[in-house]
Amino acid sequence: MIVAIDGPAGTGKSSTSKAVAAQLGLSYLDTGAQYRAITWWMVTSGIDIDDPSAIAAVAGKPEIVSGTDPEGPTITVDGVDVAGPIRTQEVSSKVSAVSAVPEVRSRITELQRSIAASAEQGIVVEGRDIGTTVLPDADLKIFLTASPEARAARRSGELKGSDVHSTREALIKRDAADSSRKASPLAKADDAVEVDTTELTLAQVIECVVTLVEEKRAGK
């Protein structure tokens, strides 16, 4: 059972995906963390983020390993635990530019497909282009949405010390960059189920997604 959960930042993708995977005994993959990891590597290696050709030239260098236990997902780059460092504002502000480079996308997409293929019990994969590009044959595709205001409030709660207004502006900017990029833009797959999380609690979103997965399983 492969479940693809897509949507912009702040819709509750990570929290929902982890909880659903844990509840249903599935593996879990945060694809955004992989893009953050390669961005972190580029930044710490002194690669010019404004030069796509420089990024493309080294896209294959870092070894990125994702642990898929939903109770404790891990991510390492060349053996270094980067779960904390990849969540900094510096990485957040540069991840769209790195993610837009086709060589980076093809490298990470290949990695994601191999992880999904090797998940024996099934997997919940969350990101921005899973249902459309990475795993177009996923058994179930879900697209989470929420108003920019709701997303900003959630994200500023996660990013301690950030104010809602600037977070909202950053999210809208990120949406525009992700939706307009040439390589695998953020988009809802034609056969995805859309779930608007604006008025829902996290528990309600999780319950909704678990129900969708169980219905799909029953119908297989």
Side-chain angles (χ1 to χ4, degrees):
M1 183 79 186
I2 293 180
V3 182
I5 300 185
D6 288 307
T11 51
K13 283 198 309 285
S14 294
S15 305
T16 300
S17 301
K18 267 188 282 203
V20 169
Q23 208 167 310
L24 297 174
L26 303 172
S27 295
Y28 160 74
L29 178 61
D30 174 359
T31 64
Q34 295 177 314
Y35 283 107
R36 285 174 171 275
I38 198 165
T39 301
W40 172 86
W41 183 87
M42 296 279 175
V43 171
T44 55
S45 300
I47 308 302
D48 182 359
I49 303 300
D50 297 319
D51 182 356
S53 60
I55 292 171
V58 294
K61 283 195 170 182
E63 185 191 9
I64 297 166
V65 178
S66 297
T68 57
D69 177 358
E71 303 283 2
T74 58
I75 185 150
T76 62
V77 178
D78 297 334
V80 177
D81 178 0
V82 294
I86 64 171
R87 301 294 170 185
T88 62
Q89 190 54 48
E90 183 181 21
V91 170
S92 297
S93 66
K94 292 174 176 164
V95 69
S96 284
V98 174
S99 304
V101 176
E103 287 81 359
V104 169
R105 294 211 79 78
S106 63
R107 160 87 201 286
I108 301 292
T109 295
E110 199 177 304
L111 184 59
Q112 290 161 1
R113 286 176 179 156
S114 69
I115 291 169
S118 62
E120 291 175 9
Q121 303 303 317
I123 191 167
V124 178
V125 184
E126 57 120 331
R128 285 171 163 73
D129 65 338
I130 311 307
T132 53
T133 302
V134 181
L135 300 166
D137 298 326
D139 300 289
L140 175 64
K141 301 174 188 177
I142 295 168
F143 193 85
L144 298 184
T145 63
S147 70
E149 290 71 25
R151 291 163 51 210
R154 290 171 191 163
R155 187 45 68 93
S156 60
E158 292 167 15
L159 303 167
K160 303 292 180 276
S162 62
D163 72 281
V164 176
H165 179 72
S166 62
T167 303
R168 180 179 178 275
E169 295 304 308
L171 285 175
I172 290 172
K173 189 178 172 186
R174 176 86 194 267
D175 288 351
D178 289 348
S179 302
S180 62
R181 66 171 177 243
K182 289 189 176 70
S184 307
L186 164 67
K188 178 189 163 194
D190 293 337
D191 53 347
V193 179
E194 186 168 322
V195 178
D196 188 334
T197 70
T198 304
E199 303 292 338
L200 302 178
T201 63
L202 178 59
Q204 288 171 322
V205 179
I206 293 165
E207 185 184 353
C208 172
V209 174
V210 165
T211 301
L212 287 168
V213 175
E214 287 178 333
E215 285 173 356
K216 194 72 181 180
R217 270 180 169 171
K220 282 189 86 171

